Amino acid sequence: MFKTILLAYDGSDHAKRAARIAKMEAEAHGARLVVVHVYEPVPDYLGEPLLKRRLELAESVLEEARALTGVPKEDALLLEGRPAEAILEAAIGEKADLIVMGTRGLGAIGSLFLGSQSQKVVAEAPCPVLLVR
Ligand code: ATP
Ligand code: MG
């Protein structure tokens, strides 16, 4: 039923569990799995070294997602911007028919049930969203 599944990955425990489920769902449906990691822009005045470090960190998070799911490099997207917006754009761009993500991420406020990014994606997604606890 699902042809293209998009996994949003931020390296959190929830996202790791989401990666496992996305992989299983993709296998079960014979679907293409695309993974996306979004890094937030660094203001110019903070300088090149910080930007470089931010990029390297983002690349390593994306690599981790690839290692957990086995998706090829061309299906691993590194995007700059606000996470929910970039995830939604990627879902549209890749014609995803399912988005898989964690209920929570790396944010500090553990008492909330849903993180702000998952909340926004659920509210605006063009397709079903599978939230992993
Ligand atoms: P908040 O960010 O509002 O403080 P949080 O970090 O606990 O809260 P979210 O950021 O909404 O919660 O994370 C929920 C899920 O969204 C994560 O498990 C992950 O699947 C996805 N996600 C969050 N940030 C990113 C990101 N930068 N790139 C890709 N996916 C992300
Ligand atoms: Mg977050």
Side-chain angles (χ1 to χ4, degrees):
M1 180 191 165
F2 297 121
K3 290 201 184 78
T4 305
I5 297 175
L6 182 75
L7 167 70
Y9 190 83
D10 66 354
S12 63
D13 288 343
H14 285 90
K16 287 194 174 85
R17 292 195 285 275
R20 233 172 286 137
I21 287 180
K23 182 176 195 275
M24 288 189 325
E25 284 299 306
E27 281 165 7
H29 288 267
R32 171 176 170 242
L33 180 59
V34 178
V35 303
V36 61
H37 175 62
V38 187
Y39 63 98
E40 304 200 31
V42 178
D44 279 348
Y45 63 81
L46 289 178
E48 193 63 29
L50 198 72
L51 180 65
K52 200 167 157 256
R53 234 184 49 218
R54 171 66 63 90
L55 255 178
E56 281 167 4
L57 183 71
E59 270 158 15
S60 73
V61 174
L62 190 66
E63 274 309 298
E64 189 179 277
R66 287 217 311 125
L68 287 171
T69 55
V71 313
K73 260 214 156 84
E74 61 268 26
D75 290 332
L77 311 176
L78 193 57
L79 301 177
E80 184 182 14
R82 295 183 190 184
E85 281 170 21
I87 292 163
L88 288 163
E89 272 170 31
I92 293 164
E94 299 298 323
K95 299 190 169 66
D97 38 27
L98 177 69
I99 298 170
V100 182
M101 64 196 301
T103 50
R104 300 295 323 276
L106 295 167
I109 314 159
S111 62
L112 292 179
F113 167 62
L114 274 187
S116 59
Q117 307 308 310
S118 44
Q119 221 172 98
K120 186 148 196 260
V121 170
V122 166
E124 295 176 25
C127 63
V129 181
L130 176 54
L131 294 177
V132 179
R133 300 178 57 120

